[in-house]
Amino acid sequence: MNEKKLSARTRTKMGKGPAKALRQEGRLPAVMYNGEGKSTMVDIDALEFSKLFATITESTIIDVSLDGAKDVLAFVKDVQYDIIKDQVKHVDLYVVEAGKILRTKIQVKLSGAPVGVRQGGVLEHGTKEIEVECLPRNLPEKAIVDVSNLELNHSLHVKDIVLPEGVKVLSDKEKTIATIRMAK
């Protein structure tokens, strides 16, 4: 697991006014939710988050340092983004327990130049994410599937994905990930 870090501080004021004041300071209002549904209002550095946000996926676990004392593991669950101003307005984080099995989806990325494409075929990407179950420390950010040996009129399925030990695939194992079809 590639360790990503973020620092946060607890906040007490809520509402539009305090949120606007935070943004003017270069901070983002955020909320951290735990597995029991309890929430903690925090704020994070906007520049630090924007750098991190460009490199993470939905299944990236982030080490969040809360008030410089307490470290928790969390996912970025939701981001409110202002497309007109091109900036993040609010972040929701979901805290995970280190020893508790979690169930989430990870992205499927294709890599390589398939043999079938060189033979005149077209690569079609099937399912773009799969559901997995594992401990947080075993969770891959994404599943990278090598399609280099994929020939014309052949397919790769979920059952062909090689994942780290301790990661169980919950998605239908017969779902197609990639297919090489003849170009019309």
Side-chain angles (χ1 to χ4, degrees):
M1 177 174 67
N2 190 2
E3 192 95 0
K4 310 281 185 180
K5 295 188 178 280
L6 188 65
S7 58
R9 63 183 193 199
T10 307
R11 64 184 169 105
T12 54
K13 295 179 182 175
M14 56 189 270
K16 287 182 181 180
K20 186 176 181 181
L22 277 174
R23 288 187 199 99
Q24 288 174 343
E25 288 177 33
R27 312 265 321 155
L28 282 174
V31 177
M32 290 176 47
Y33 296 96
N34 66 12
E36 296 152 13
K38 294 180 183 173
S39 61
T40 305
M41 294 189 315
V42 297
D43 62 74
I44 54 181
D45 184 84
L47 185 60
E48 183 183 6
F49 181 76
S50 65
K51 288 178 184 175
L52 179 72
F53 190 59
T55 65
I56 62 173
T57 65
E58 286 181 27
S59 60
T60 303
I61 295 181
I62 302 166
D63 185 11
V64 180
S65 174
L66 186 57
D67 294 325
K70 182 180 173 188
D71 281 5
V72 294
L73 299 176
F75 292 113
V76 173
K77 204 62 173 163
D78 188 36
V79 173
Q80 292 176 10
Y81 191 79
D82 185 340
I83 58 171
I84 295 170
K85 294 181 179 177
D86 190 32
Q87 66 184 20
V88 176
K89 302 293 269 177
H90 186 274
V91 180
D92 286 345
L93 300 167
Y94 178 75
V95 177
V96 295
E97 295 178 40
K100 188 177 179 184
I101 290 179
L102 60 97
R103 181 181 282 191
T104 189
K105 292 182 179 183
I106 61 172
Q107 291 179 348
V108 176
K109 296 285 184 183
L110 304 181
S111 73
V115 173
V117 170
R118 291 190 296 268
Q119 297 169 341
V122 175
L123 175 65
E124 293 180 358
H125 198 314
T127 187
K128 295 189 189 299
E129 63 182 20
I130 57 171
E131 189 171 4
V132 296
E133 182 180 81
C134 64
L135 291 171
R137 63 179 153 72
N138 296 338
L139 184 66
E141 284 189 43
K142 57 189 159 206
I144 299 173
V145 180
D146 183 15
V147 294
S148 301
N149 297 324
L150 196 57
E151 296 181 13
L152 200 56
N153 296 323
H154 285 85
S155 300
L156 286 175
H157 300 90
V158 171
K159 65 184 175 189
D160 300 320
I161 297 176
V162 179
L163 291 170
E165 192 173 324
V167 180
K168 179 181 174 186
V169 177
L170 300 175
S171 295
D172 179 11
K173 299 206 182 338
E174 295 303 318
K175 263 188 177 178
T176 303
I177 296 170
T179 302
I180 303 287
R181 299 210 188 275
M182 191 63 180
K184 292 182 180 177

